[in-house]
Amino acid sequence: MNAQNNIMKKYFIISILMFSQIFSHAQKTKVTTEALKAFQTKFPTAKEIKWEMESKDDYEASFVMDGKKGSANFSGKGEWIETEMAIPKANTPKAVMDGFNKTYVGATIKEVYKIESKEGKNYFEIEFSLKGKTKEAKLDPTGKII
């Protein structure tokens, strides 16, 4: 029985060590002070913030604000790049919904996001399922597929 307990203890310790390695790896995104400050200034009420590297100098923060999911991208120098916020389907402009429904007949909308960028190229991204497949569509504010 003691040998069996020792084996179980070893497996338990190994499991804990593996979990801690996985967890610490997931938390290793080091965000620049400038990007953190810029995010906190632009989204002071954001909660549940998780950072990831999008590219060499592009950090993405996923968060919840006012009960809505969102994400925002910042450069390492703290320059805002883009924000993506979930919006209720009912708040999606009619032109966008009309353009989507005309193009994707029979689709079931899962999520709608409003995208705002520093270049002013604002658009909507609709996640939907059609014929058993999940897809995304990007539409400009007039309802044109982009």
Side-chain angles (χ1 to χ4, degrees):
M1 194 65 129
N2 266 347
Q4 196 173 21
N5 282 343
N6 286 340
I7 292 172
M8 292 301 287
K9 284 180 186 176
K10 285 180 185 177
Y11 281 118
F12 179 73
I13 290 169
I14 290 170
S15 298
I16 297 245
L17 289 172
M18 288 175 64
F19 176 76
S20 67
Q21 287 294 326
I22 292 168
F23 184 75
S24 67
H25 180 70
Q27 298 299 318
K28 283 191 178 178
T29 300
K30 294 190 187 234
V31 183
T32 64
T33 303
E34 294 88 348
L36 283 170
K37 284 181 183 176
F39 176 82
Q40 291 166 346
T41 300
K42 191 160 181 72
F43 304 100
T45 61
K47 296 179 180 5
E48 301 177 37
I49 304 159
K50 294 181 182 123
W51 286 93
E52 292 182 17
M53 288 288 292
E54 282 288 296
S55 65
K56 185 179 176 186
D57 191 47
D58 184 352
Y59 299 90
E60 180 178 53
S62 299
F63 58 94
V64 175
M65 190 169 72
D66 301 326
K68 297 176 195 153
K69 295 186 299 182
S71 67
N73 294 66
F74 290 86
S75 73
K77 294 179 182 174
E79 180 182 28
W80 172 72
I81 299 168
E82 179 181 274
T83 300
E84 180 176 308
M85 289 299 298
I87 62 170
K89 182 179 165 186
N91 291 359
T92 307
K94 184 180 181 327
V96 172
M97 291 306 300
D98 289 348
F100 175 82
N101 289 329
K102 180 180 168 187
T103 306
Y104 300 99
V105 178
T108 302
I109 295 175
K110 293 182 172 191
E111 199 81 54
V112 179
Y113 296 93
K114 183 176 183 180
I115 316 296
E116 296 177 337
S117 70
K118 70 177 181 178
E119 294 93 17
K121 296 179 183 176
N122 302 337
Y123 61 94
F124 295 84
E125 189 174 278
I126 299 177
E127 184 181 319
F128 65 97
S129 67
L130 183 63
K131 298 180 183 176
K133 293 183 180 178
T134 299
K135 299 180 178 190
E136 286 183 356
K138 295 178 181 180
L139 297 95
D140 72 14
T142 68
K144 181 182 173 190
I145 304 291
I146 51 177

